[in-house]
Structures are given as structure tokens and as C-alpha cells.
Amino acid sequence: MALGEFDLIARYFKRPVKRAALGVGDDCALLRPTPGQQLAVSTDLLVEGRHFLSTVAPERLGHKALAVNLSDLAASGASPLAFTLSLSMPRAEERFLAPFAQGLLALADAHGIELVGGDTTGGPVLCIGITVMGEVPPGHALLRSGARVGDEIWVSGHLGDARLALEVFRGSLSLTGDAFDHVRRAMECPTPRVELGLALRGIASSAIDISDGLLGDLGHVLRASGVGAELDLAAFPRSAILAAQSDDWQRTCLLTGGDDYELLFTAPAERHEEVLLSAASAFTPVHCVGRVVAPERGLVVTQRGTPVDLAGLSAFDHFKS
Ligand code: ADP
Ligand code: MG
């Protein structure tokens, strides 16, 4: 059944307000920011065929659209407050909108973030734009620019499974049964590391979320901080499914995977134990994978002492892929 614009907003996206003073339905939403906090704002746009495949279940797409935005709040160490949703779609169909809203709002509820407004329009392909707002005490946001020589480099969770799933869809790899379900879930249903970001405030010297592959995103931190890095590929945690692939695929998926939504962060080496404790308090596994070095050294990746050739490995670029 096709729905009118206002019917569909009322049915799927308008809910009683919680923290906001005014939510969906008027010209503006009205928020109640906590006095004295800074507002952290981030936007991500997902376009069908570019950022997701048409084969994804609507419920997972709703989850992912918000998850990738929450991941940016996590990387800043911000606590989620509210978000807006802009939708452009060829058709307004209940069988898409109902599960999409369910996946989206379930993740919103899990993080205590509320949908306060948006825009809805017809358009040639499905596009989902979300803007998230969060809060962080002044001076406590995690930035890309704070890495210092001697810091340790850490990653949360494990990397590369989402890329494995993409390669299965592309036909370059084959996985079946539980293994395919697992990597597909990693690609379609990422877990934003919000609690870890909060736990790392005051401990991490820099942070970024890994959305376009580790090398590219680490590159942003290195440039912003004016430093270099040494990584040990053998120290990267990986799923048993990735570990069963060839060395080439492991290297590609770990270093340039894309769609991981794990946090990459640096912290002073003397705070190693504190990092482990704060990650445990956030129930999030973390692994130390390298060290920040002087800028002249650039970026060096070794595997048990042997240099890894980085030629041909490049970050995911949505204008080039
Ligand atoms: P305007 O005419 O001011 O652009 P709209 O008619 O587009 O407002 O939207 C009406 C109300 O519904 C507004 O409060 C808007 O924020 C909200 N809204 C529109 N689309 C969405 C959506 N996809 N999710 C949540 N709220 C939405
Ligand atoms: Mg509008």
C-alpha cells in the first residue's frame, strides 16, 4: 500500500518525546541540551548501490543507517542525544517502512537517542540521511589531532568481516552457511562503539571510527596529528572466518576493508592498563596493534618483523569504487 507523506511520518516516525521539549510535527524540534555541555553533531548519507545493496533487509538497513552515525559520536566520545532522518525513496511502501523504522528505532532506544525530525520526499533511489547530535563536556571530545609519538595504537573488535561479505556479493570469494551469515551480519548490522568512546574520554589521545578501511582512516589521524605509525599486522585480531582466507585477502580485509565501524584510537603507552580496564567496563574487546612514531617514518606495516608491501592497497573512496 502506498502512503501519503504525512501519514507515513505519523505512523512510523512520530513518537512521544522523551528528553526533547518538542519532537516530530512542527517546523523545528526543540531540544534541551544539558547546560555546560558541548553539542557534537555529525551527518552521514547512505545511498542505495553506493553504501548498501538492495538485497539488505529493511530492518537491518534501519539499524545500519543509525549505527554509522552513532559510530561518529562514539569516535568523538560524545553521548547520544537526538537525531533527524531525511528519506528520499522511489515508493512509500509499508512493507519497507515498517521494518525499516523498527530496526532504526530499536537501536535508537538501545542508546537513549530520540528521533526529533526530518524530511521525506520521493526520489529516484533510496537515500537515507541522518544527522546525530550528542553531548560532550568541553575539552573532553576525542579528536583526530591528539596522537603523540610513543603512543600506542589500538583497535576495537575485529576488522575485515564486512569486506569479506562484500567480496562474496561481488563474486570474488565464496562462503556459505553460518560463515556467510556471520560476515553478512558484520556488514549489515554493525555495532557502534558508543560505550567505548565514552570510557576512553580522558584516556585516549586521539580517535576515529573505521568506516573506509584502517589505512585510510589511520591516515587521517596521522595527518591531523603530524605523526607516523608502525603497525604489526600479526597483532590484528580477526575472525576465524577471515583467518581461514589467503594471506592476501586477510591483508586486504584488515587494512582496507571498509564498513568496520570499529574505533581506532591512540593512548599514551603508560596508560595501557587503563585502556584495558576502560574497554572492559564498556564490554568491548580492544587490541594494541602498533605505535605512533616520528612523522618522517611515515606509515610502516610489518608482519612478525617483515615489512608488508602496501602498494596497491588503498582506502575505500565512494567516488572511485
Ligand atoms: P516542513 O514543511 O517544515 O519541511 P515537513 O512537512 O517536511 O516540514 O515535515 C513535517 C514534520 O515531520 C516536521 O516536524 C519534520 O521534522 C517531520 N519529519 C518529516 N520527515 C520525517 C522523517 N523521515 N522522520 C522524522 N520526522 C520527519
Ligand atoms: Mg520538509
Side-chain angles (χ1 to χ4, degrees):
M1 183 187 80
L3 289 164
E5 176 186 341
F6 299 103
D7 292 337
L8 84 84
I9 296 167
R11 188 171 313 176
Y12 298 114
F13 301 123
K14 187 174 165 72
R15 299 198 300 174
V17 286
K18 292 179 183 157
R19 274 197 57 177
L22 186 65
V24 169
D26 215 305
D27 295 313
C28 287
L30 298 172
L31 305 183
R32 287 184 234 264
T34 308
Q37 299 272 311
Q38 287 180 336
L39 203 54
V41 181
S42 181
T43 291
D44 257 316
L45 180 62
L46 276 74
V47 177
E48 182 168 354
R50 270 286 138 158
H51 304 94
F52 60 90
L53 305 172
S54 55
T55 46
V56 63
E59 192 172 351
R60 286 192 171 182
L61 185 58
H63 172 102
K64 182 166 178 176
L66 182 58
V68 303
N69 278 279
L70 285 170
S71 179
D72 285 312
L73 288 182
S76 299
S79 137
L81 180 64
F83 71 105
T84 62
L85 169 68
S86 295
L87 272 180
S88 162
M89 33 187 191
R91 295 166 300 280
E93 286 175 333
E94 194 156 0
R95 70 192 161 110
F96 169 78
L97 284 162
F100 174 82
Q102 199 188 342
L104 177 89
L105 296 175
L107 184 65
D109 289 344
H111 287 276
I113 187 171
E114 63 186 320
L115 176 56
V116 293
D119 204 10
T120 306
T121 175
V125 291
L126 181 57
C127 296
I128 307 159
I130 289 184
T131 298
V132 282
M133 286 152 275
E135 294 185 330
V136 63
H140 283 74
L142 305 175
L143 306 181
R144 298 177 178 187
S145 53
R148 296 291 170 259
V149 173
D151 284 356
E152 290 177 326
I153 301 173
W154 298 78
V155 292
S156 66
H158 53 238
L159 307 180
D161 284 354
R163 178 62 178 271
L164 275 185
L166 181 64
E167 296 300 339
V168 173
F169 278 107
R170 283 174 169 170
S172 18
L173 277 175
S174 133
L175 288 174
T176 51
D178 287 348
F180 178 57
D181 290 346
H182 174 91
V183 296
R184 185 174 188 178
R185 193 179 173 79
M187 178 174 81
E188 297 179 342
C189 236
T191 303
R193 300 299 194 182
V194 175
E195 295 79 10
L196 179 63
L198 294 175
L200 290 172
R201 278 183 190 168
I203 298 173
S205 51
S206 72
I208 191 169
D209 66 318
I210 306 176
S211 52
D212 298 333
L214 175 112
L215 288 185
D217 290 319
L218 174 60
H220 295 309
V221 171
L222 301 184
R223 274 186 297 278
S225 300
V227 294
E230 282 175 8
L231 299 178
D232 176 11
L233 195 56
F236 280 81
R238 63 205 79 184
S239 69
I241 301 162
L242 181 55
Q245 306 302 316
S246 70
D247 281 354
D248 272 3
W249 274 121
Q250 290 191 46
R251 191 170 57 219
T252 298
C253 292
L254 290 172
L255 296 179
T256 66
D259 259 0
D260 293 302
Y261 302 104
E262 294 296 347
L263 294 190
L264 167 77
F265 59 96
T266 60
E270 62 272 19
R271 306 194 76 171
H272 188 98
E273 291 305 315
E274 271 177 278
V275 168
L276 291 174
L277 284 174
S278 54
S281 77
F283 302 103
T284 310
V286 295
H287 288 84
C288 180
V289 295
R291 225 170 225 284
V292 178
V293 298
E296 315 78 75
R297 313 259 298 268
L299 173 59
V300 179
V301 183
T302 58
Q303 171 132 277
R304 294 187 197 84
T306 311
V308 173
D309 184 11
L310 299 181
L313 292 176
S314 64
F316 205 77
D317 184 323
H318 290 108
F319 284 103
K320 293 183 188 153
S321 57

